[in-house]
Amino acid sequence: MTDRDDITGPLTWAWRTVALGVLAVAGAVVLALLVVTLAEVNGQRDRALASQRHSYDVMILARTVQGTVAHAEASLGRYVISGDQQLGQIYYDDWRRAKQAIQRLAKLTHDNDVQLTHVAVLQEAFRTRGDELALTALSTNYGKNSQALSRFYQARQSDALTRINDSLDGIITDERLLLEMRTAQARASVRRSTTIAKVLAVFGLLLVGGGITMGWIMVEALADRAVARDEAESERLRADELAEAVARATEELRAQEARLRQVQKMEAVGQLTGGIAHDFNNMLAVVLSGVELAGRHLPRGADEAARHLEGAREGAERAAALTARLLAFARETAINPEPIAAAALFEGLGDMLTRSLGDGMTLVLEDESDGWCVRVDRVQLENTLVNLAVNARDAMDGRGTLTIRAGHTSLPGDGTSGPGGDFMTLAVADTGCGIAPDVLDRVFEPFFTTKPLGKGTGLGLSQTFSFARQIGGEVTIASRLHEGTTVTLLLPRDRRGEKAQPAPVPASPALPAAAAPATDGRAILVVEDDPRVLSATMEALADLGHHPVACDDATRVGAVLETMEHVDLILSDVLMPALTGPEMIATLPLAFAQVPVLFVTGFAGEANGGIALGDHPVLRKPFTLAALDRAVTAAAARGDDPAPLAAE
């Protein structure tokens, strides 16, 4: 027994040693396999997260391109409308940022052939769209607003913007599908790796000395999985928040685009109104001249005919006043500041406001200004009050009392509460629904409106604010819900205008007592492309005792002047097909360079297309014989002696 024990003991120890070695090797192999498996799980998780971040970066960048392009086009639209160079710079910066974003998008998708196809289409459409909008911006830079607006409207019909949006939507859709596919693959791979890890963990528990180690490793693995799950959930929540923010931004951009389309419609209406008013002025010039000429040649005792002609003249003058307001609506009138008192303002504005507001409104005009005057453009001031009155009518649903009260106040001007000095105030108060406090702080923002889409542009109160600030004044607004709103204009007082207020203008004389013919007729060259206006002007000048010579083509003025013995005045239309009036004057031979010039136009201000008229006087169509006589006399008096003509 002793010898046997001596033999079996080392063998048992050896087998135990071998078994322990085998178990140690097996444990090491299991441990190594488990470490490799866990490393692969971590790698797969990191790759999945990286793929998710890459896809989110691509989608966010695509939405950024959409937002930047939309904002750039909105800025360009406002630049075309206002001509503000800062808006033009905003458009240029946004478009450059959109281009840089597209370049980054191309780099992010360089390893995806499908996405590269979308990016190639996007880049081509972006270049096409940039070329279209560049022409619009260039026209605006050179002051050709009408041409720029036309090009901008044509650009809206182009399919380049649609291709840009379709390409970006395609990139986002493909990236979302790719993200879903990658996520599914990562989850399947993680499941497989997890299964292997579990098997190895169970096997490791059977190994001597490896149970605790394997258990600890499994705990660590489970902890890592929990952390990865939490991180994935956090990433998902952040992605959902980002998607929601992108959706809100997209909706806001769509709303801004809708407002821009509404502004474009209003601008187109203004352009159409200006063109119609111009043609109407030409017709009224013929009518007024004909009526006055007919009245001057009536036989004695033709009282009935004179009465009818006087009625026709009054109707034509009312039509001329309406045309002037149409031109003002179309922004076709030049800034013409003049001293205005509240009494005269209310006298000219009362009838128009009554007709504009309707029968359900009660209009109250109160003058407590003590004769104070302001120096502003009459048309701008009247349009501002009309806009405020219409807003008040809408707030009262067409029924209520509208009060416009003129007063005066003096402000200290301490630098904290606005400008100081003496101000005439114009307060427009209604009895409407009032304005909520959260809306009251935004009423002067451009494009902000509480009216439904298509019912307002959001520019009325912002234009009122700009008008007041432009002349050094201020505008305030006070409102209470269900009680009403009061908008107050503070306009700087004009003391010189109060001293120089003109005497009351006498009523227009009857037709037979129109302007007397000139005692010393002048030789006048009349340049006009409209044959009816040309004929009426020639007859009017002849009836005034002058000696007119007709020219219906601006390119033939030099030749016609050569045929005249002498010339005292050139009376010319401004806008003509071949040459404008100023261009025609600039091409005259040197022998006639000093001849006085009187321009006649049915347009005004911006409608002349930015044409510089120099210091030459301008007579607006339609005009009376008396106005024509005064304008001719004043224009001729500004020149030197009649210019001699070149020798034949």
Side-chain angles (χ1 to χ4, degrees):
M1 292 295 295
T2 304
D3 296 336
R4 199 168 191 177
D5 290 337
D6 293 337
I7 296 173
T8 57
L11 292 175
T12 303
W13 179 255
W15 283 108
R16 289 178 180 178
T17 303
V18 171
L20 288 175
V22 170
L23 289 175
V25 171
V29 171
V30 170
L31 181 60
L33 291 175
L34 186 58
V35 170
V36 171
T37 302
L38 292 176
E40 179 62 21
V41 170
N42 290 332
Q44 291 172 355
R45 181 199 63 189
D46 293 338
R47 288 192 293 273
L49 292 176
S51 299
Q52 287 179 340
R53 285 194 295 270
H54 179 272
S55 297
Y56 289 140
D57 289 341
V58 171
M59 291 188 286
I60 292 170
L61 193 55
R63 289 301 185 194
T64 300
V65 172
Q66 279 185 325
T68 307
V69 169
H71 189 266
E73 293 206 17
S75 299
L76 178 58
R78 293 193 292 272
Y79 176 43
V80 170
I81 294 172
S82 66
D84 188 350
Q85 291 294 332
Q86 292 183 353
L87 294 176
Q89 185 62 40
I90 292 174
Y91 152 71
Y92 174 78
D93 293 340
D94 284 343
W95 199 257
R96 183 180 59 186
R97 282 194 290 271
K99 182 178 180 180
Q100 294 172 350
I102 292 175
Q103 292 173 349
R104 292 198 302 273
L105 191 62
K107 291 181 180 179
L108 285 177
T109 59
H110 72 279
D111 58 345
N112 190 320
D113 293 337
V114 176
Q115 295 292 49
L116 284 179
T117 302
H118 288 307
V119 171
V121 174
L122 171 62
Q123 290 174 332
E124 178 60 27
F126 184 81
R127 284 192 295 269
T128 302
R129 189 64 176 171
D131 293 340
E132 294 171 352
L133 298 182
L135 292 175
T136 302
L138 187 60
S139 298
T140 306
N141 286 340
Y142 285 100
K144 299 180 179 179
N145 288 31
S146 298
Q147 183 180 2
L149 182 62
S150 174
R151 284 179 173 170
F152 188 77
Y153 179 77
Q154 292 175 359
R156 299 298 300 171
Q157 312 303 318
S158 171
D159 65 339
L161 182 60
T162 302
R163 287 189 283 120
I164 290 174
N165 290 328
D166 291 344
S167 300
L168 292 171
D169 291 339
I171 290 172
I172 294 171
T173 301
D174 291 343
E175 197 65 34
R176 185 177 291 113
L177 293 175
L178 184 60
L179 175 62
E180 293 175 355
M181 180 184 68
R182 289 172 175 170
T183 302
Q185 292 175 349
R187 288 175 179 172
S189 179
V190 169
R191 283 195 297 269
R192 289 193 300 270
S193 299
T194 302
T195 301
I196 294 173
K198 288 180 179 178
V199 172
L200 292 174
V202 172
F203 183 77
L205 291 175
L206 301 176
L207 300 175
V208 178
I212 297 175
T213 304
M214 295 299 296
W216 178 258
I217 293 174
M218 287 300 298
V219 170
E220 290 291 332
L222 292 175
D224 289 342
R225 288 187 61 191
V227 171
R229 189 180 300 111
D230 292 341
E231 292 179 353
E233 182 65 18
S234 299
E235 291 290 338
R236 186 187 65 80
L237 292 176
R238 284 196 292 270
D240 291 343
E241 293 175 356
L242 181 59
E244 183 180 356
V246 170
R248 288 197 302 269
T250 303
E251 187 64 26
E252 179 64 22
L253 288 174
R254 290 174 179 170
Q256 292 289 350
E257 184 178 1
R259 294 191 184 103
L260 176 59
R261 285 197 298 267
Q262 179 66 13
V263 172
Q264 291 172 338
K265 292 178 183 178
M266 295 299 294
E267 186 68 20
V269 171
Q271 293 289 339
L272 177 62
T273 304
I276 293 174
H278 171 253
D279 293 337
F280 198 42
N281 271 338
N282 278 340
M283 291 185 286
L284 284 175
V286 177
V287 172
L288 274 176
S289 296
V291 169
E292 289 200 344
L293 288 173
R296 291 169 64 90
H297 294 284
L298 281 177
R300 293 183 178 277
D303 296 336
E304 186 69 16
R307 184 173 61 83
H308 289 305
L309 287 175
E310 178 66 16
R313 182 184 66 81
E314 291 179 357
E317 288 180 348
R318 291 174 65 87
L322 174 61
T323 306
R325 296 195 183 281
L326 289 176
L327 286 171
F329 169 76
R331 298 182 181 179
E332 302 291 0
T333 52
I335 302 300
N336 183 26
E338 58 178 295
I340 300 175
L345 176 66
F346 287 168
E347 181 179 356
L349 200 61
D351 291 341
M352 182 176 65
L353 283 177
T354 301
R355 291 193 299 269
S356 301
L357 297 177
D359 296 335
M361 297 290 299
T362 300
L363 177 64
V364 178
L365 301 175
E366 299 179 356
D367 182 11
E368 301 174 359
S369 62
D370 294 336
W372 285 27
C373 287
V374 295
R375 187 173 184 83
V376 295
D377 181 82
R378 180 179 295 273
V379 174
Q380 281 189 320
L381 179 57
E382 290 180 351
N383 283 346
T384 298
L385 292 177
V386 169
N387 286 336
L388 293 177
V390 171
N391 283 346
R393 179 199 63 190
D394 294 342
M396 294 183 284
D397 292 330
R399 293 191 174 276
T401 299
L402 174 67
T403 303
I404 302 180
R405 181 179 296 105
H408 58 80
T409 186
S410 297
L411 300 179
D414 53 6
T416 60
S417 60
D422 294 336
F423 296 89
M424 187 177 85
T425 61
L426 289 171
V428 181
D430 63 61
T431 57
C433 58
I435 304 175
D438 58 331
V439 177
L440 194 62
D441 294 334
R442 302 186 59 192
V443 293
F444 294 124
E445 293 181 9
F447 299 106
F448 176 77
T449 178
T450 57
K451 297 180 180 179
L453 188 62
K455 298 296 185 181
T457 63
L459 295 174
L461 286 176
S462 64
Q463 288 176 336
T464 299
F465 180 82
S466 298
F467 163 71
R469 287 296 181 88
Q470 180 184 10
I471 62 173
E474 188 63 81
V475 57
T476 62
I477 184 168
S479 182
R480 287 191 176 183
L481 287 176
H482 312 300
E483 293 186 15
T485 302
T486 300
V487 179
T488 304
L489 292 170
L490 287 84
L491 308 178
R493 181 183 184 184
D494 181 27
R495 296 180 180 273
R496 291 179 299 176
E498 296 169 11
K499 299 177 182 178
Q501 279 294 294
V505 179
S508 300
L511 281 171
T519 57
D520 51 345
R522 294 181 173 85
I524 301 175
L525 176 62
V526 182
V527 186
E528 171 64 62
D529 63 298
D530 190 317
R532 296 167 299 179
V533 179
L534 178 60
S535 175
T537 304
M538 293 287 292
E539 292 182 17
L541 289 172
D543 199 74
L544 289 172
H546 300 296
H547 310 291
V549 176
C551 180
D552 59 0
D553 186 354
T555 61
R556 296 179 53 252
V557 168
V560 176
L561 285 172
E562 294 288 347
T563 64
M564 299 175 64
E565 294 182 0
H566 72 279
V567 58
D568 297 306
L569 179 68
I570 297 176
L571 188 149
S572 173
D573 192 13
V574 174
L575 295 179
M576 293 178 287
L579 294 173
T580 66
E583 290 173 344
M584 179 267 294
I585 295 300
T587 60
L588 290 179
L590 292 177
F592 307 103
Q594 301 302 322
V595 176
V597 177
L598 173 62
F599 285 123
V600 181
T601 180
F603 271 130
E606 296 172 359
N608 291 334
I611 298 174
L613 302 180
D615 59 350
H616 298 297
V618 179
L619 177 62
R620 306 295 182 190
K621 298 176 186 175
F623 47 79
T624 62
L625 287 180
L628 176 61
D629 188 32
R630 289 193 300 270
V632 167
T633 301
R638 293 171 57 135
D640 298 324
D641 295 335
L645 297 177
E648 299 183 359

